[in-house]
């Protein structure tokens, strides 16, 4: 078959398998056409094989990236282009490295190298400053939670490994059939695939149908203000938003309400951090909480801390353009206010590249200036914090993880809140930037993975998006539709038990990195195979 067509087929299959519209069973053979195209090129006598491999792979991954994440263009065309075309290039580079390795090694060793290389790449995407793990393969099962209840042991890397094991098996079977066409090869392959797909699903179904946990009930209200961030959100005062908070909360509040949860940057007007405790805004929030002494109010807020003391400068600290002697930290924060009178604060620490974070600033800023920040529509780098903060209720029974927006895509990161004793998860987000697209749907869907990995119930408050109640099995039990203004009430159950994944983190990725290094040393520093 034509190699370009094979590359296109792989891209289409990957796109058709992705949530929230796709069928992930397709992923178990999605890379096979591209692997066949690479093998054909490797064995034929043509010039510039490496360039051709990169081009074919790039075609596959552009189709996949463009189809599944082009909704980013509604927030920022520069960011969308960067995410699609650079991420596709990085994925294509993996296949080029595999091609170079496969020329020197046996097919089995080369496939093992590709599997651990891909997993290591996904781990890189979780940690470096150009982080974009949206298309990590294990995310693909987020709408099929009955298949992946074992994520509480493996995290999403278990799903990535599962997909690659099946692709390697199918690819080798196709090669065997090409050498010696027979029904026995087909039957053997189908049997192995049935076992390797069916057995994990069977285990998952058993867990799904038997899982339960004991804990205290938490009555929550998740607010969905449905404020347009392009025309309204940043043109209203925090006092006006406080009035809206009271209005929406009063539609659902009862004497048993434990938490009111408002979305990311709900209080969007930048508030001077040192003055907040004595501000009119704080007074209004305290007044409402005092009327409902059992309530814990968790909301997103924008803080700014302006100073001259150079010893306070952090990595993300900004310098005033008009007064070089003035510095400021810009925070996308969550706060908790209750009857105790104290304010608990957490600062968002997984930032959106180019929008909230200027990656590798020391290197790139001298070259491109503030282009990334300007194009992203913000004026400053956000300041983060090292540890995952957990909010404790006034009665000390409830410990909420204040997960802000993009942070909910990171499994091990969210596990950090649970290791810090969070017994339920509160996701606050603003998904209105992407309009009525797959963006906000995928973001909600990925939250279900965090519920399974940590076995924590979730209350999700979206400014515009989909607010939801999600149980520890990843089931969405209640939700507000996109574009609907309102408040969602529901009951969560706390959980103090720690899953194996929370305890061990991304151990599959760490093992893969070790195996990759070992195979790399063997593959590129030993005599080539003849």
């Amino acid at each position: 078959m034509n190699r370009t067509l094979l590359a296109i087929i792989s891209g289409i299959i990957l796109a058709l398998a992705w949530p929230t519209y796709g069928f992930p069973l397709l992923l178990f053979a999605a890379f096979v056409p591209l692997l066949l195209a690479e093998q054909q090129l490797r064995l034929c006598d043509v010039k510039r094989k490496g360039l051709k491999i990169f081009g074919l792979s790039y075609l596959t991954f552009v189709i996949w990236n463009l189809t599944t994440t082009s909704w980013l263009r509604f927030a920022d065309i520069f960011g969308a282009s960067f995410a699609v075309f650079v991420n596709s290039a990085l994925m294509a580079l993996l296949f080029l490295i595999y091609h170079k390795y496969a020329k020197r090694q046996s097919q089995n060793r080369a496939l093992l190298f590709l599997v651990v290389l891909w997993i290591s790449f996904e781990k890189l995407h979780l940690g470096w400053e150009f982080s974009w793990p949206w298309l990590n393969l294990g995310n693909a099962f987020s709408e099929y939670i009955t298949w992946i209840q074992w994520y509480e042991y493996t995290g999403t890397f278990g799903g990535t490994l599962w997909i690659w094991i099946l692709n390697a098996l199918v690819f080798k079977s196709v090669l065997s059939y090409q050498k010696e066409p027979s029904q026995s090869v087909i039957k053997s392959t189908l049997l192995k695939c049935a076992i390797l797909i069916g057995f994990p699903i069977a285990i998952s179904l058993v867990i799904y149908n038997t899982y339960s946990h004991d804990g205290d009930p938490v009555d929550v209200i998740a607010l969905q203000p449905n404020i347009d961030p392009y025309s309204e959100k940043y043109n209203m005062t925090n006092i006006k938003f406080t009035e809206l908070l009271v209005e929406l909360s009063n539609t659902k509040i009862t004497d048993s309400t434990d938490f009111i949860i408002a979305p990311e940057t709900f209080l969007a007007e930048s508030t001077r951090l040192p003055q907040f405790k004595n501000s009119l805004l704080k007074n209004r929030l305290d007044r409402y909480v005092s009327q409902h002494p059992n309530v814990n109010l968790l909301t997103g807020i924008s803080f700014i801390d302006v100073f001259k003391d150079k010893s306070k400068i952090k990595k993300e600290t900004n310098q005033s353009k008009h007064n070089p002697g003035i510095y400021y930290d810009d925070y996308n924060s969550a706060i908790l206010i209750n009857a105790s009178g104290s304010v608990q604060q957490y600062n968002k620490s997984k930032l959106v590249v180019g929008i909230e974070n200027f990656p590798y600033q020391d290197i790139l800023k001298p070259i491109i200036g503030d282009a990334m920040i300007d194009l992203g529509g913000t004026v400053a780098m956000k300041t983060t914090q090292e540890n995952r903060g957990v909010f404790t209720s006034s009665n000390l029974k409830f410990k909420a993880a204040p997960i802000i927006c993009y942070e909910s895509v990171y499994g091990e990161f969210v596990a950090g809140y649970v290791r810090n004793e969070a017994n339920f998860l509160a996701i606050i987000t603003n998904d209105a930037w992407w309009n009525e697209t797959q963006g906000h749907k995928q973001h909600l869907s990925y939250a279900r993975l965090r519920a399974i990995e940590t076995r924590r119930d979730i209350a999700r408050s979206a400014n515009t998006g989909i607010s939801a109640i999600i149980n520890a099995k990843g089931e969405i039990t209640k939700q507000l539709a996109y574009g609907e203004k309102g408040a969602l009430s529901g009951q969560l159950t706390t959980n103090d038990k720690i899953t194996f994944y929370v305890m061990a983190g991304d151990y599959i990725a760490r093992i893969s990195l070790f195996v990759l290094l070992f195979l790399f040393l063997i593959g590129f520093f030993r005599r080539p195979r003849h």
Side-chain angles (χ1 to χ4, degrees):
M1 187 181 291
N2 179 276
R3 291 188 289 267
T4 301
L5 181 58
L6 287 169
I8 292 172
I9 290 172
S10 269
I12 291 172
I13 294 174
L14 286 163
L16 290 176
W18 211 251
T20 59
Y21 54 81
F23 186 43
L25 189 69
L26 297 171
L27 286 173
F28 294 124
F31 293 100
V32 172
L34 182 59
L35 287 168
L36 288 170
E38 184 282 328
Q39 202 243 11
Q40 288 179 19
L41 259 176
R42 187 182 354 129
L43 297 180
C44 73
D45 185 20
V46 296
K47 294 180 179 179
R48 295 194 290 264
K49 289 183 183 180
L51 185 61
K52 288 182 170 66
I53 292 294
F54 184 85
L56 288 172
S57 305
Y58 192 67
L59 176 60
T60 293
F61 297 127
V62 163
I63 293 171
W64 180 25
N65 279 260
L66 191 61
T67 304
T68 55
T69 61
S70 63
W71 43 264
L72 284 165
R73 71 189 185 277
F74 288 102
D76 175 41
I77 192 67
F78 173 80
S81 301
F82 189 89
V84 169
F85 296 111
V86 174
N87 199 47
S88 299
L90 292 172
M91 291 176 170
L93 181 62
L94 301 185
F95 262 77
L96 177 59
I97 296 170
Y98 160 71
H99 168 72
K100 298 291 186 183
Y101 191 90
K103 290 197 300 183
R104 304 170 63 92
Q105 298 296 321
S106 67
Q107 189 66 69
N108 285 342
R109 186 175 290 173
L111 286 171
L112 176 59
F113 178 81
L114 177 57
V115 172
V116 295
L117 178 65
W118 189 279
I119 292 174
S120 299
F121 165 72
E122 289 193 350
K123 181 62 176 174
L124 169 72
H125 246 343
L126 290 166
W128 71 325
E129 292 188 25
F130 278 111
S131 179
W132 179 240
W134 206 270
L135 295 184
N136 282 11
L137 292 171
N139 294 339
F141 301 102
S142 60
E143 289 293 293
Y144 287 74
I145 57 167
T146 56
W147 293 13
I148 53 164
Q149 292 296 307
W150 39 267
Y151 270 19
E152 69 170 289
Y153 299 100
T154 69
T156 58
F157 282 106
T160 299
L161 181 60
W162 192 26
I163 288 167
W164 271 112
I165 287 172
L166 266 296
N167 273 274
L169 171 64
V170 174
F171 173 60
K172 286 190 63 181
S173 298
V174 171
L175 295 184
S176 296
Y177 187 81
Q178 287 177 342
K179 276 186 181 179
E180 188 178 339
S182 69
Q183 285 196 350
S184 62
V185 172
I186 297 173
K187 290 178 181 178
S188 174
T189 301
L190 290 176
L191 178 61
K192 290 175 182 176
C193 288
I195 293 171
L196 287 173
I197 296 173
F199 186 64
I201 292 176
I203 292 174
S204 180
L205 287 170
V206 171
I207 298 172
Y208 177 79
N209 288 307
T210 57
Y211 177 80
S212 65
H213 70 263
D214 298 320
D216 295 316
V218 191
D219 288 296
V220 299
I221 297 172
L223 305 184
Q224 185 163 295
N226 197 36
I227 301 295
D228 186 341
Y230 292 103
S231 61
E232 297 178 83
K233 186 173 176 65
Y234 296 96
N235 294 319
M236 289 175 62
T237 66
N238 285 340
I239 298 302
K240 284 291 185 183
F241 277 115
T242 303
E243 293 171 359
L244 178 59
L245 182 149
V246 171
E247 175 191 334
L248 292 175
S249 299
N250 283 345
T251 63
K252 297 290 184 180
I253 198 165
T254 68
D255 290 340
S256 62
T257 300
D258 296 301
F259 275 81
I260 296 172
I261 303 172
E264 177 190 22
T265 59
F266 178 70
L267 302 170
E269 185 182 24
S270 289
T271 300
R272 290 291 184 100
L273 187 57
Q275 287 80 40
F276 174 66
K277 290 184 180 180
N278 299 315
S279 67
L280 177 60
L281 172 62
K282 173 68 161 48
N283 179 266
R284 293 287 180 89
L285 296 173
D286 283 338
R287 188 187 308 172
Y288 186 64
V289 169
S290 68
Q291 296 168 9
H292 307 280
N294 293 325
V295 163
N296 299 272
L297 174 60
L298 192 164
T299 182
I301 186 170
S302 295
F303 279 129
I304 187 169
D305 185 18
V306 181
F307 56 90
K308 294 182 179 180
D309 185 355
K310 291 186 178 181
S311 66
K312 293 175 62 178
I313 294 175
K314 304 179 182 70
K315 180 183 176 184
E316 303 100 337
T317 295
N318 302 275
Q319 187 173 21
S320 172
K321 291 181 179 179
H322 305 294
N323 190 339
I326 301 294
Y327 303 91
Y328 62 98
D329 289 322
D330 195 14
Y331 298 98
N332 181 346
S333 301
I335 56 172
L336 185 78
I337 296 176
N338 54 37
S340 69
S342 63
V343 178
Q344 299 173 51
Q345 179 182 344
Y346 168 74
N347 305 314
K348 184 178 181 182
S349 298
K350 277 293 185 183
L351 305 177
V352 180
V353 176
I355 306 294
E356 298 174 315
N357 175 39
F358 195 144
Y360 302 107
Q361 186 173 179
D362 293 342
I363 299 170
L364 295 178
K365 193 166 185 176
I367 301 172
I368 64 174
D370 286 327
M372 293 192 78
I373 292 178
D374 291 340
L375 285 167
T378 187
V379 294
M381 288 267 290
K382 300 297 181 183
T383 302
T384 63
Q385 68 180 62
E386 185 175 348
N387 299 315
R388 307 288 67 76
V390 174
F391 291 164
T392 303
S393 63
S394 55
N395 62 10
L396 306 181
K397 288 169 56 177
F398 309 127
K399 294 188 176 183
I403 302 164
I404 304 177
C405 192
Y406 190 48
E407 293 182 334
S408 65
V409 181
Y410 295 79
E412 191 172 52
F413 185 90
V414 171
Y417 290 101
V418 178
R419 286 194 291 271
N420 287 341
E421 302 184 347
N423 52 28
F424 77 93
L425 309 182
I427 296 176
I428 60 174
T429 186
N430 180 22
D431 292 345
W433 307 105
W434 311 320
N435 293 344
E436 181 61 57
T437 65
Q438 279 296 311
H440 73 272
K441 296 175 185 177
Q442 290 171 357
H443 198 199
L444 167 67
S445 190
Y446 292 172
R448 307 172 78 179
L449 303 174
R450 307 291 86 83
I452 297 168
E453 290 169 342
T454 63
R455 292 303 183 192
R456 295 296 188 270
D457 288 5
I458 297 174
R460 186 178 195 268
S461 170
N463 167 45
T464 294
I466 303 174
S467 298
I469 304 297
I470 305 172
N471 68 22
K473 295 196 290 187
E475 297 170 314
I476 298 174
T477 58
K478 285 187 175 182
Q479 67 180 57
L480 282 177
Y482 182 91
E484 181 178 344
K485 179 179 179 179
L488 181 70
S489 62
Q491 189 174 86
L492 313 181
T493 302
T494 63
N495 186 10
D496 293 320
K497 294 181 180 178
I498 300 295
T499 66
F500 183 83
Y501 175 71
V502 168
M503 181 177 61
D506 293 331
Y507 65 94
I508 291 176
R510 289 191 285 273
I511 292 171
S512 294
L513 282 166
F514 176 79
V515 175
L516 176 65
L517 178 61
F518 179 73
L519 291 174
F520 180 83
L521 293 174
I522 290 176
F524 288 108
F525 293 97
R526 288 181 61 180
R527 182 181 296 178
R529 183 178 65 89
H530 295 291

